[in-house]
Amino acid sequence: MATGGTFLFRRPSVIPGFGLALGFTLTYLSLIVLIPLGALIVRSSSLGSAEFLRLTLDERTISALRISFGSAAIAALINAVFGLLLAWVLVRYRFPGRRLVDAMIDLPFALPTAVAGIALSTLYAPQEWLGPYLELVGLKVAFAPLGIVVALVFIGLPFVVRTVQPVLGDLDRELEEAAATLGAGRLQTTLRVILPPLLPALLTGFALALARAIGEYGSVIFIAGNIPFVSEIAPLLIVIRLEEFNYAGATVIATVMLAISFAMLLVINLIQAWSRRRFGYGG
Amino acid sequence: MAVDALQSATVHAPAAQGPAATGETAVVRIALIVVALLFFALFVFLPLVVVFLEAFQTGLQGFIAAITNPDALSAIRLTLIVAAISVLANLVFGVAAAWAIAKFEFRGKSFLVTLVDLPFSVSPVIAGLVYVLLFGAQGYFGPWLKEHGIAIIFALPGIVLATIFVTFPFVARELIPLMQEQGTGDEEAALSLGASGFKTFLFVTLPNVKWALLYGVLLCNARAMGEFGAVAVVSGKIRGQTNTMPLQVEILYNEYAFTAAFAVASLLALLALVTLALKTLLEWRFGDDIAAANGH
């Protein structure tokens, strides 16, 4: 620990235990997270760029990544719309069962993904609960690409509601009153006064839901049908490659997905930094 | 028109809705509530109902037979063991990380916070894969482990490692913002009055963060018991040996033993409901003592 002149690693403090706490934190972080993730990157870079590129451009890999990404984007979009609506209804209106609904919004965080998966696929399966009604309107949800979206909507919903809700609650009602007295209609007020300050929170919620959905595995594999090139998601393809002992194939898909995750993380941090500057809250 | 609305609003509108000029008409309001609740029912509430109804499809006896099956009992036992170890490990880590990050100023702190949150952005399947690459038969340490007769992948240590990875940030991320908010004043007072560092931590810091700690442990435990993707990759799914409850659910479901699958699943759903109830209770009673009560 250098304490000389220009470089000061840490500000002096009377509180003890810094070395022990930080030492333990860094050791544990390295052993559990950094070294294993490093192993993935080392493994994929040992393939060489030509081989890496060849495996990445594998048709089935590309199609799985596209399905994962596309379904996640659609699901996050649906969540942005209905998550905003749910947050709005929960914050602004009073109705019977509101507190129960509010508490249950977090169910997707608490319910194991495998349980969600079998429940959703049973709910939407052709001969089961909702399947026959959906078939009447020509929708096939379970064991089809649409099923992936349904599972990802379930997984991502709390992210949007829980990021928008507190910001909506803190919104100054006087601004809306001012807009109304200045002659704005309710729709105009909603679009031009209420929505703009909610935007960063909504974007953050969207990005969080998207990031989670891209990597989701448990809830999707039961409902998707898992047909290669149609409804096979990237995490599933990793598992399949592993089961074939095709470590290189699995490693490459995982590395691409990891890069996407890091990019998403960066985007989320940028949204929050922008939001703090522009609106005074962290998104 | 706006003025009219404002005047009538001050007389008629219930206080909770605000004056009509800044609220919606009753029709719009009810329509929005109905659409929101319909969406909620379709995507959140109905799946939960399905789990419990399917579990009792063949009555109470079928349910009891399913969860007292030796493989199911072994899965329950393994899940409890894995969760206990993982939660304890991440609890110790969470406290240490929060102590270092919240009570001291040092370079690279915000980067460290980002790293602590990192496992949340990694797909569970990748969390399992990285340990296979390290400890699996073809992994970096595979040959050495085999030589010494140590099994990590397809055994308890691998399942625990993968679970620790996916639940890594839970306790730390509850403690860090709260302890940062509380500052170092209390600890400095205790130390200047002659308390030892350990005593200060035990009698000053810990009581200050106990509800946030419990909150973090609660969420960590729920995820640890329910983790599927990461554990599926490292477990090998050996019946009666390396099957956790979520894996047992998958195996039963794929064998078309739906009632049995939903019976085991209903136990996990019950765990989720208890977790939610306790979490909500903590938020209502001790909301001020839980800094990061929202957004995960």
Side-chain angles (χ1 to χ4, degrees):
Chain A
M1 232 173 282
T3 46
T6 51
F7 182 81
L8 195 65
F9 174 63
R10 108 178 140 97
R11 193 183 296 167
S13 160
V14 294
I15 294 176
F18 178 72
L20 182 67
L22 189 69
F24 179 77
T25 302
L26 292 180
T27 310
Y28 188 82
L29 181 72
S30 306
L31 288 179
I32 300 289
V33 180
L34 300 182
I35 293 174
L37 286 181
L40 174 69
I41 292 164
V42 169
R43 187 96 181 198
S44 71
S45 57
S46 73
L47 290 172
S49 54
E51 178 71 356
F52 184 89
L53 210 64
R54 192 185 67 78
L55 289 169
T56 310
L57 296 177
D58 170 73
E59 244 179 279
R60 194 163 160 193
T61 302
I62 292 285
S63 137
L65 283 169
R66 194 189 296 133
I67 290 165
S68 271
F69 234 112
S71 322
I74 297 170
L77 215 61
I78 294 174
N79 275 330
V81 173
F82 285 93
L84 176 64
L85 177 66
L86 264 167
W88 175 269
V89 164
L90 288 173
V91 170
R92 288 292 172 103
Y93 304 149
R94 296 294 173 267
F95 54 91
R98 186 185 66 94
R99 293 186 112 178
L100 185 71
V101 172
D102 193 8
M104 277 189 60
I105 290 287
D106 283 330
L107 185 76
F109 285 149
L111 193 71
T113 52
V115 178
I118 64 168
L120 287 169
S121 67
T122 303
L123 187 61
Y124 290 95
Q127 256 97 64
E128 304 266 353
W129 296 54
L130 298 177
Y133 305 101
L134 291 165
E135 232 158 75
L136 286 180
V137 286
L139 280 180
K140 183 166 160 45
V141 177
F143 318 122
L146 202 53
I148 304 176
V149 175
V150 167
L152 296 181
V153 166
F154 173 84
I155 289 301
L157 180 66
F159 288 99
V160 177
V161 178
R162 291 305 187 221
T163 42
V164 172
Q165 215 176 6
V167 183
L168 194 55
D170 286 343
L171 223 55
D172 195 353
R173 295 294 286 263
E174 280 177 20
L175 287 175
E176 292 165 54
E177 283 163 23
T181 52
L182 290 171
R186 187 58 190 160
L187 187 66
Q188 212 177 351
T189 308
T190 306
L191 291 179
R192 311 193 70 162
V193 177
I194 300 173
L195 271 186
L198 286 184
L199 193 65
L202 196 60
L203 274 176
T204 306
F206 172 82
L208 287 172
L210 181 66
R212 171 70 202 264
I214 291 171
E216 177 58 21
Y217 172 73
S219 59
V220 175
I221 57 161
F222 293 98
I223 197 173
N226 305 326
I227 307 154
F229 300 103
V230 177
S231 59
E232 183 179 70
I233 55 166
L236 176 65
L237 193 55
I238 295 180
V239 173
I240 290 173
R241 293 292 182 235
L242 262 181
E243 279 167 2
E244 298 167 349
F245 299 104
N246 181 353
Y247 280 38
T251 305
V252 164
I253 307 170
T255 307
V256 173
M257 288 190 65
L258 202 62
I260 294 169
S261 304
F262 287 169
M264 294 286 312
L265 204 63
L266 189 70
V267 168
I268 293 169
N269 281 330
L270 287 177
I271 296 173
Q272 284 174 341
W274 166 70
S275 157
R276 261 191 296 275
R277 271 200 317 275
R278 178 78 175 72
F279 298 97
Y281 72 87
Chain B
M1 189 204 140
V3 176
D4 280 347
L6 204 60
Q7 277 171 345
S8 66
T10 50
V11 184
H12 300 296
Q17 307 296 357
T22 58
E24 288 71 39
T25 60
V27 178
V28 174
R29 206 161 57 219
I30 289 167
L32 289 180
I33 292 176
V34 167
V35 172
L37 290 186
L38 220 61
F39 180 82
F40 174 81
L42 216 57
F43 283 93
V44 181
F45 190 67
L46 272 182
L48 190 67
V49 174
V50 167
V51 173
F52 288 105
L53 286 184
E54 295 283 333
F56 289 97
Q57 189 104 77
T58 53
L60 190 63
Q61 276 185 329
F63 175 80
I64 290 173
I67 61 169
T68 51
N69 170 291
D71 286 346
L73 286 177
S74 132
I76 294 172
R77 199 171 51 237
L78 181 62
T79 294
L80 293 176
I81 294 170
V82 169
I85 301 173
S86 314
V87 170
L88 192 68
N90 282 336
L91 174 64
V92 173
F93 161 74
V95 171
W99 185 264
I101 289 169
K103 301 294 178 189
F104 301 93
E105 292 302 325
F106 57 93
R107 276 169 197 252
K109 195 158 96 166
S110 56
F111 183 60
L112 182 58
V113 174
T114 309
L115 286 183
V116 167
D117 265 343
L118 190 62
F120 274 166
S121 350
V122 176
S123 171
V125 168
I126 297 178
L129 170 72
V130 291
Y131 292 112
V132 174
L133 292 181
L134 278 179
F135 305 122
Q138 294 182 43
Y140 289 108
F141 299 108
W144 187 88
L145 288 169
K146 198 176 173 192
E147 217 170 276
H148 291 76
I150 306 169
I152 291 185
I153 300 304
F154 304 153
L156 180 69
I159 300 174
V160 170
L161 278 174
T163 306
I164 290 180
F165 187 106
V166 292
T167 57
F168 190 86
F170 275 107
V171 179
R173 71 175 331 192
E174 294 303 330
L175 289 184
I176 291 168
L178 179 67
M179 281 168 68
Q180 270 177 330
E181 204 180 288
Q182 288 172 344
T184 54
D186 289 1
E187 282 81 7
E188 280 162 4
L191 288 166
S192 70
L193 290 170
S196 69
F198 182 65
K199 258 191 159 164
T200 303
F201 169 74
L202 209 60
F203 295 111
V204 177
T205 312
L206 217 49
N208 276 341
V209 299
K210 60 175 183 284
W211 297 117
L213 199 73
L214 188 63
Y215 192 85
V217 165
L218 200 66
L219 299 180
C220 184
N221 179 64
R223 179 73 194 267
M225 287 190 174
E227 179 50 31
F228 177 73
V231 172
V233 172
V234 294
S235 121
K237 299 177 191 169
I238 309 163
R239 250 171 212 271
Q241 286 182 37
T242 63
N243 261 354
T244 61
M245 286 168 78
L247 296 178
Q248 184 71 15
V249 169
E250 186 205 16
I251 288 182
L252 290 169
Y253 188 83
N254 286 342
E255 285 172 352
Y256 303 102
F258 294 131
T259 306
F262 276 106
V264 179
S266 73
L267 294 181
L268 289 168
L270 194 66
L271 167 79
L273 287 181
V274 171
T275 302
L276 277 190
L278 290 175
K279 171 179 174 296
T280 309
L281 190 75
L282 281 178
E283 280 165 13
W284 284 353
R285 296 255 345 243
F286 308 104
D288 297 339
D289 301 326
I290 304 168
N294 41 52
H296 289 279

